[in-house]
Amino acid sequence: MGEEIGVNLMEKEALIARAAEEFEHKSPQELLAWAAETFPRLCLACSFGAEDVALVDMVRKTAPQIDIFYLDTELHFAETYATRDRLEAEFGVRFIRVTPKWTVEEQAEQMGDELWKRDPDACCNIRKVEPLARFLRDYDAWVTGIRREQAPTRANAKKVEYDVKFGLVKFNPLANWTWDDVWNYIRANRVPYNPLHDRNYPSIGCEPCTRPVKPGEDLRAGRWSGFQKTECGLHK
């Protein structure tokens, strides 16, 4: 099935559905190994949250040839950059840094100060969506840490799907994992993780747009608090 999908996947969504069904009950590592074999131009998106550091560990053990990148909005928490540095030092991983066309200062000159407070969608588009679209042009498929449990907008995520927005294949190896599954893996494999998770930040984005989650709130309730916004625009 691998060769058939590698040749026809971009045109035939039915084959993607078959792959999604085949890997639904297989391990993330099995999917990563197959994805890397089938799509040589494959990359992993890392935001240095719990799901992504688990995937970084899996990739380095299962398919180390996969490129790993992060979107540097230049607005991340200091703890997020420190997690990047620790993973590089302890795991020997090298992350590809993807940046927006404007620095934060240039954005302020063009769009006004603190755009994220007035129009977070526009800010995310400039600092995340456009850089990602530009970066993914060189790839045939990408891997994300999306889980169905994270939010209603992600409840129907497949382990293998076609990303209409960016025009390539998308793998979500942890789609059927729970929050406990993620942390069990991190602890069992001693994976370095963002210390903000220990301070009630289950979902970590840019510092100006992320707050701790209160007891009983959704895992992503701390993102863009006060706005009718739950996604940055990277995922449908």
Side-chain angles (χ1 to χ4, degrees):
M1 181 177 176
E3 292 183 2
E4 183 183 16
I5 288 184
V7 173
N8 300 305
L9 188 54
M10 305 303 285
E11 292 85 23
K12 297 185 179 179
E13 292 188 5
L15 293 179
I16 296 177
R18 285 171 52 197
E21 182 178 356
E22 177 180 332
F23 285 96
E24 175 63 23
H25 300 293
K26 292 187 178 181
S27 71
Q29 293 90 335
E30 288 176 291
L31 178 54
L32 285 168
W34 178 84
E37 180 181 355
T38 307
F39 295 92
R41 297 198 303 169
L42 175 67
C43 59
L44 165 64
C46 180
S47 64
F48 305 105
E51 292 87 356
D52 292 345
V53 299
L55 284 171
V56 167
D57 185 63
M58 293 179 194
V59 162
R60 78 183 184 97
K61 294 174 178 176
T62 304
Q65 71 271 33
I66 296 177
D67 287 341
I68 307 176
F69 74 95
Y70 71 102
L71 299 174
D72 191 353
T73 64
E74 302 175 350
L75 292 167
H76 292 307
F77 287 89
E79 290 88 346
T80 299
Y81 291 113
T83 302
R84 173 202 61 191
D85 295 343
R86 187 179 173 194
L87 287 166
E88 288 188 337
E90 295 189 21
F91 285 177
V93 176
R94 289 294 172 261
F95 297 99
I96 300 171
R97 179 175 179 252
V98 180
T99 58
K101 62 180 180 180
W102 291 334
T103 64
V104 174
E105 293 74 21
E106 289 169 339
Q107 178 174 297
E109 291 174 2
Q110 296 292 327
M111 308 290 289
D113 288 335
E114 298 182 322
L115 179 61
W116 50 87
K117 289 184 177 180
R118 296 177 284 106
D119 192 343
D121 286 331
C123 190
C124 283
N125 190 64
I126 293 168
R127 312 210 70 75
K128 290 186 177 181
V129 180
E130 190 280 330
L132 178 62
R134 179 169 20 97
F135 180 77
L136 290 180
R137 289 175 191 152
D138 293 329
Y139 293 88
D140 296 321
W142 68 311
V143 181
T144 85
I146 281 180
R147 294 185 301 107
R148 296 167 191 151
E149 184 189 62
Q150 287 172 325
T153 52
R154 302 181 176 190
N156 296 317
K158 305 293 185 183
K159 283 195 172 182
V160 187
E161 55 190 12
Y162 185 74
D163 191 329
V164 176
K165 182 164 191 171
F166 297 111
L168 73 174
V169 180
K170 183 176 182 180
F171 294 98
N172 306 309
L174 306 183
N176 62 343
W177 272 29
T178 65
W179 187 234
D180 286 343
D181 290 333
V182 174
W183 283 101
N184 287 339
Y185 182 92
I186 288 173
R187 295 186 183 103
N189 293 276
R190 299 182 179 179
V191 180
Y193 65 87
N194 196 320
L196 289 172
H197 288 309
D198 293 331
R199 287 149 46 192
N200 299 321
Y201 287 85
S203 179
I204 304 167
C206 294
E207 184 171 9
C209 300
T210 310
R211 65 161 174 81
V213 168
K214 300 173 185 177
E217 285 188 321
D218 182 87
L219 291 177
R220 290 177 62 82
R223 305 289 296 277
W224 307 285
S225 183
F227 289 92
Q228 294 298 315
K229 178 178 172 64
T230 57
E231 295 284 354
C232 57
L234 304 183
H235 308 292
K236 64 180 180 180

